[in-house]
Amino acid sequence: MVTKIGHRGAMGYAPENTLKSFKKALELNVDAIELDVYICKSGELVVIHDDKVNRTTNGKGYVAEKTFKELRALDAGEKEKIPELKEVFDLVNKKVNINIELKATGTAKPVYELIELYIKEKSWKYEHFLISSYNHYELREFNRLSPNIKIGALLTGIPIGFAEFAEKINASSVNLCADFINKEFIDDAHNRGLKVYVETVNDLDDIGRMKALGVDGIFSNFPDRL
Ligand code: G3P
Ligand code: CA
């Protein structure tokens, strides 16, 4: 069985990275939801994919240059709001795991602090979380702060040495773009004790191909297809 991961919630059915999208993913019986995190000007951790609000909201400008109040006034689609990370934690409430993608430099520490708070005060477990990033320095920093929480190294392409880089930063998984996946990479990662999660796979034929290749998890905009 592959791990079913709802990409940005269930963005095939609801506006990406909104509470509506995460609720939909829960309804579709995912094993985990995936989301993207930035820090805004007033310091809150906010859930949005791009560094600008332009594509996913009715506003314009950089997330890092807007206060939470300004971000909250925007429509993120179907009258949804840009959520704070802690609102998603409260919605999910330990029902499924959460894959937090660190998008901005400097997100490792505040994300770690929020997770620690939920572990200490709300009985969450380290196992509820997977932290991923294309910025492997940010991932290494997160692992230094919290070696108990799994990290997933995001990757677009096949590097020389296959999954060696991921082993070096104590990753538990490589989260690889589907365009590049091959059996050699999967075998190498498995031999190193690493899981392989593949993103983002929506087409039924492609989902079947990924399963046949032996991946451990799949990110999809339509997680009910997994
Ligand atoms: O974590 C998998 C995937 O979300 C990474 O790509 O662009 O959707 O953030 P992207
Ligand atoms: Ca992402």
Side-chain angles (χ1 to χ4, degrees), residues 10 96 145:
V96 301
L145 290 164

Short mmCIF file of all heavy atoms in Angstrom, two decimals, residues 10 96 145:
data_model
loop_
_atom_site.label_atom_id
_atom_site.label_comp_id
_atom_site.label_asym_id
_atom_site.label_seq_id
_atom_site.Cartn_x
_atom_site.Cartn_y
_atom_site.Cartn_z
N ALA A 10 -6.40 19.01 -1.02
CA ALA A 10 -6.89 18.22 -2.17
C ALA A 10 -7.17 19.26 -3.25
O ALA A 10 -8.32 19.58 -3.55
CB ALA A 10 -8.13 17.44 -1.80
N VAL A 96 -4.62 12.75 10.70
CA VAL A 96 -3.67 12.27 9.69
C VAL A 96 -2.34 12.97 9.93
O VAL A 96 -2.25 13.91 10.72
CB VAL A 96 -4.16 12.57 8.24
CG1 VAL A 96 -5.51 11.91 7.96
CG2 VAL A 96 -4.23 14.06 7.96
N LEU A 145 17.74 21.03 15.07
CA LEU A 145 16.83 21.47 16.14
C LEU A 145 16.02 20.31 16.69
O LEU A 145 15.76 20.24 17.89
CB LEU A 145 15.85 22.53 15.58
CG LEU A 145 16.42 23.89 15.22
CD1 LEU A 145 15.45 24.66 14.35
CD2 LEU A 145 16.76 24.67 16.48
#
